[in-house]
Amino acid sequence: MGALPHLGRPLASPRPCTRSACTHHIPPRPSVTKVRTAVHAAVPHAPRPLDRRARRLRRGPALARRAVAAGAVTAALLASTGLVPATAADTPSGVDVTVDAGAGLGTVPDTAYGLNSAIWDAHMNTADTQDLVKAAGIGMLRYPGGSYGDIYHWQTHTAPGGYVAPGTDFDSFMATVRKVGAQPMLIANYGSGTPEEAAGWVRYANVTKDYGAKYWEVGNELYGNGHYGADWETDEHADSSPAAYAHGVLDYISAMKAVDPTIKVGAVLTTPGNWPDGVLGSGDSADWNHTVIPIVAGKADFVIVHWYPGGSDAAGMLTTPSQLAGELRQLRAELAAAGAPDTPIALTETNSNVLMDTQPTALFAADTYFTALESGVFTVDWWNTHNGVGAISTAPDGATDYGDMGLLSSGGCTGSVCEPPVNTPFPPYYALQMLSRTGRPGDQLVAAQSADALVSAHAVLRADGDLSVLLVNKDPSASRTANLHLSGYTTDGSPADLAVFRDRSSSIDTTTGDGRSVTLPPYSITTVTLHPKGGTASALTAPGSPKVTSVTDTTATLTWSASTGGSPARYEVYRQFGATSELLTGTTATTATVRNLTPGTTYTLNVLARDADGRLSRASAPVTVRTTSPASSTCQVSLPAHRRLGQRLQRAGHRHQHR
């Protein structure tokens, strides 16, 4: 998150804010309009609609005011766009949801479900907060909080220009990390710090205290350091260019790994399609990513992006997760172009920026986390644990939105309107709980697809053999019936386990029922867990992650490590088509060449092992390959004919001039 303006969101006073009197001091936020104007003035060729980015920078009151004021109004807008039926009677009777258990999308990492912690949050390390964070299944906690990362000095536990709450020092934070059973993601101070200061933090964390802190970011959103006009991120370096940052990252990596070579150090990138992607600053020959990536490729252990898609209302915001997969594919392509296609990606901040503590954002959260994880991201870290009350608005379901980006209430007030008591979970908190009910670390993400744009589907093949399908109904007024169609998985016919987080609810309901036809309440998240038929699963393990050893315009050669747990009769290479798969080739070896591919085309492939009884193992991790341009082409241009055509056009133009 960016800049110091949301520093003021924290609870600067230890006294609780009661419904009769609000005593918290909340410093004013900077003008969003001012930020937007400054950006455009500095970069005239930047697109004028920086509204979404500006909202993201500052989470200002204007953002919430753009949310719809009443449920009835939003419902009418939704109907007018055609995104939802005008009446419940128009609702389709059923939605086809297809799940392919053989189309593996990777394993759920233990860092998958992450959350930000900020040193201005006096509640971040309380016992109640620790218990709630643990119950949500959080596996990664990020510290010290957004732009505070570039003003925070760990040794003195100070953040000049910002507020530091008591009880938020690094050791107290690590006590929370350990109690929750998570890992830390730590932001080394690039903006006002030095490589030596960062190396000292590594030494204290991993040598002195033996915390085993593995993941370290070099700074926060450094593209907001003023180089492109918008200035919210502290950067005291004389050179604020992306090239200077990239070379600075290398200095940090060198100093930090000299202390502990086992740590992973990440560099900040921009999300493709989001500001300032494509923008050139003064003296630049390329934008941020195309400058930073070639310098850090192969040296940074991972890269970092943030994603605040916004949207003018709930309906628009709920369409944005479908865009995220494409943006991450583009980022992967940029890394591949620099020779580092397998660089891990961390999404260390995200939130909807619209109706942030109501049910629409809970639906957004569930959809966003799984979309990112299916795209190979190793952690998605929600902004924020507690954040503070903002502008008040009304969600489409009539719920009050407090303009709070926290998972948990901070108990603050805006005027006479006050949040629930401190640590009351907001709906996005239950979305994270639903993720943990669907897939845990070590489970396998598999392909799922819905035929209805208002129903998102994600699936997980669990380590115990169960298949869990998470379904998000984005319709605020009508139920949907999801009809599940399974490929590569046979159920035992027993009732499915159902978990449902309904609109305006404060808990997750659990029951059993028909797992093939499931009713999805309006504005709800539902997880359906099916159980396997005995004897249908192979004892073979998934083959190792395939590697691409050569590519031509029509072929790709893969190699992988062997399955264990038995003797495979053969290996089979499949191409993913959404939630279905196509067999391309088979072999008894651990290498294969796939032929008859289309030039200039991207393919996602899995390898599965088949045992002597004909049963398939789980899918390998996916591998993406793009074939080259055609080696030869039948398309030819006759230069003499081309010249004659040009001469005729020239003569025709000459005659036209003399008429």
Side-chain angles (χ1 to χ4, degrees):
M1 194 130 147
L4 301 185
H6 78 273
L7 314 179
R9 269 308 164 223
L11 308 176
S13 166
R15 285 187 292 171
C17 180
T18 65
R19 294 191 179 277
S20 59
C22 294
T23 59
H24 297 319
H25 169 65
I26 301 178
R29 298 184 181 212
S31 165
V32 173
T33 303
K34 181 177 180 181
V35 171
R36 183 163 60 248
T37 304
V39 172
H40 202 271
V43 191
H45 61 279
R48 173 63 67 177
L50 283 173
D51 293 356
R52 181 177 74 182
R53 176 61 185 164
R55 284 197 303 272
R56 172 186 167 187
L57 304 185
R58 290 297 42 107
R59 282 85 167 150
L63 132 132
R65 286 197 296 270
R66 276 190 281 269
V68 178
V73 174
T74 299
L77 289 173
L78 288 169
S80 69
T81 64
L83 288 174
V84 297
T87 66
D90 297 330
T91 302
S93 60
V95 177
D96 288 332
V97 174
T98 304
V99 178
D100 185 356
L105 301 175
T107 300
V108 179
D110 55 5
T111 53
Y113 311 133
L115 179 62
N116 277 269
S117 299
I119 56 174
W120 40 253
D121 175 11
H123 303 290
M124 66 175 281
N125 295 314
T126 66
D128 287 347
T129 298
Q130 292 170 341
D131 291 342
L132 285 163
V133 170
K134 183 175 183 177
I138 298 301
M140 177 159 275
L141 286 168
R142 183 174 182 249
Y143 177 91
S147 291
Y148 266 69
D150 283 310
I151 63 171
Y152 179 65
H153 300 285
W154 71 271
Q155 197 163 17
T156 58
H157 187 53
T158 58
Y163 171 75
V164 178
T168 61
D169 59 273
F170 177 58
D171 288 315
S172 297
F173 165 74
M174 286 305 302
T176 294
V177 168
R178 289 187 159 185
K179 181 174 180 181
V180 169
Q183 296 185 56
M185 173 72 79
L186 302 173
I187 309 170
N189 184 343
Y190 176 86
S192 60
T194 64
E196 292 72 28
E197 181 183 30
W201 197 0
V202 174
R203 182 177 295 105
Y204 178 79
N206 292 353
V207 179
T208 304
K209 302 294 290 190
D210 196 27
Y211 285 141
K214 181 178 180 181
Y215 296 101
W216 300 76
E217 301 180 49
V218 180
N220 186 55
E221 297 170 349
L222 270 306
Y223 43 80
N225 63 3
H227 184 70
Y228 298 115
D231 187 4
W232 75 86
E233 195 75 14
T234 297
D235 186 356
E236 297 178 354
H237 294 84
D239 186 348
S240 62
S241 69
Y245 169 74
H247 287 293
V249 168
L250 301 186
D251 292 339
Y252 273 69
I253 291 173
S254 177
M256 296 166 74
K257 289 200 169 187
V259 176
D260 183 353
T262 69
I263 63 172
K264 305 296 182 182
V265 184
V268 173
L269 299 181
T270 64
T271 307
N274 295 259
W275 189 90
D277 183 40
V279 177
L280 299 185
S282 175
D284 292 344
S285 59
D287 64 6
W288 183 276
N289 280 9
H290 290 90
T291 301
V292 174
I293 291 175
I295 296 172
V296 304
K299 301 177 181 68
D301 297 296
F302 63 99
V303 294
I304 302 126
V305 292
H306 294 170
W307 194 62
Y308 294 93
S312 61
D313 59 14
M317 173 262 288
L318 287 171
T319 67
T320 58
S322 63
Q323 304 166 12
L324 179 58
E327 294 172 0
L328 291 170
R329 280 195 298 271
Q330 177 60 34
L331 179 61
R332 184 67 69 192
E334 293 174 3
L335 292 165
D342 298 326
T343 304
I345 300 171
L347 179 54
T348 60
E349 287 187 25
T350 190
N351 201 305
S352 72
N353 262 359
V354 177
L355 302 169
M356 298 165 290
D357 51 65
T358 61
Q359 190 73 0
T361 290
L363 311 184
F364 167 90
D367 209 2
T368 294
Y369 269 79
F370 271 144
T371 298
L373 295 171
E374 290 161 358
S375 300
V377 170
F378 74 87
T379 185
V380 183
D381 304 337
W382 191 256
W383 185 273
N384 196 8
T385 305
H386 303 91
N387 207 64
V389 67
I392 307 300
S393 61
T394 304
D397 58 0
T400 298
D401 176 68
Y402 301 99
D404 193 325
M405 304 183 85
L407 280 185
L408 307 172
S409 171
S410 58
C413 302
T414 293
S416 61
V417 180
C418 295
E419 293 183 337
V422 172
N423 274 338
T424 300
F426 288 129
Y429 172 85
Y430 296 104
L432 267 63
Q433 278 198 328
M434 289 294 292
L435 297 176
S436 298
R437 288 175 178 265
T438 306
R440 299 296 300 157
D443 294 343
Q444 185 180 41
L445 298 154
V446 296
Q449 193 168 36
S450 166
D452 187 338
L454 283 182
V455 175
S456 292
H458 305 275
V460 175
L461 187 58
R462 294 165 59 157
D464 61 6
D466 286 348
L467 177 68
S468 290
V469 184
L470 182 136
L471 302 163
V472 180
N473 182 6
K474 305 174 187 177
D475 192 323
S477 59
S479 296
R480 293 288 199 275
T481 299
N483 299 317
L484 298 186
H485 304 278
L486 308 180
S487 175
Y489 190 86
T490 305
T491 69
D492 64 2
S494 65
D497 296 327
L498 304 178
V500 185
F501 179 56
R502 292 178 169 82
D503 188 23
R504 307 297 296 270
S505 181
S506 59
S507 63
I508 296 171
D509 298 329
T510 57
T511 185
T512 58
D514 183 359
R516 291 303 187 97
S517 182
V518 184
T519 299
L520 312 178
Y523 257 13
S524 66
I525 306 171
T526 301
T527 293
V528 183
T529 300
L530 304 159
H531 312 295
K533 182 178 180 180
T536 58
S538 175
L540 294 172
T541 64
S545 299
K547 304 295 181 184
V548 180
T549 58
S550 66
V551 181
T552 70
D553 57 339
T554 60
T555 67
T557 300
L558 310 179
T559 186
W560 57 88
S561 57
S563 295
T564 61
S567 299
R570 62 188 271 115
Y571 293 97
E572 298 176 357
V573 180
Y574 288 83
R575 175 192 181 185
Q576 292 185 13
F577 279 107
T580 60
S581 297
E582 173 192 22
L583 177 62
L584 297 184
T585 190
T587 178
T588 56
T590 55
T591 185
T593 298
V594 180
R595 305 182 186 279
N596 301 317
L597 302 178
T598 302
T601 303
T602 299
Y603 294 84
T604 300
L605 309 175
N606 294 107
V607 181
L608 290 82
R610 191 177 291 276
D611 63 23
D613 295 321
R615 297 170 299 193
L616 284 172
S617 70
R618 295 192 178 208
S620 71
V623 63
T624 299
V625 58
R626 182 171 180 82
T627 52
T628 62
S629 299
S632 61
S633 175
T634 58
C635 179
Q636 298 180 354
V637 176
S638 172
L639 293 179
H642 179 70
R643 292 194 186 101
R644 288 196 297 271
L645 175 61
Q647 292 169 355
R648 289 198 299 271
L649 291 173
Q650 187 177 32
R651 287 195 297 269
H654 181 75
R655 288 195 300 271
H656 176 76
Q657 292 173 4
H658 288 84
R659 284 180 181 174

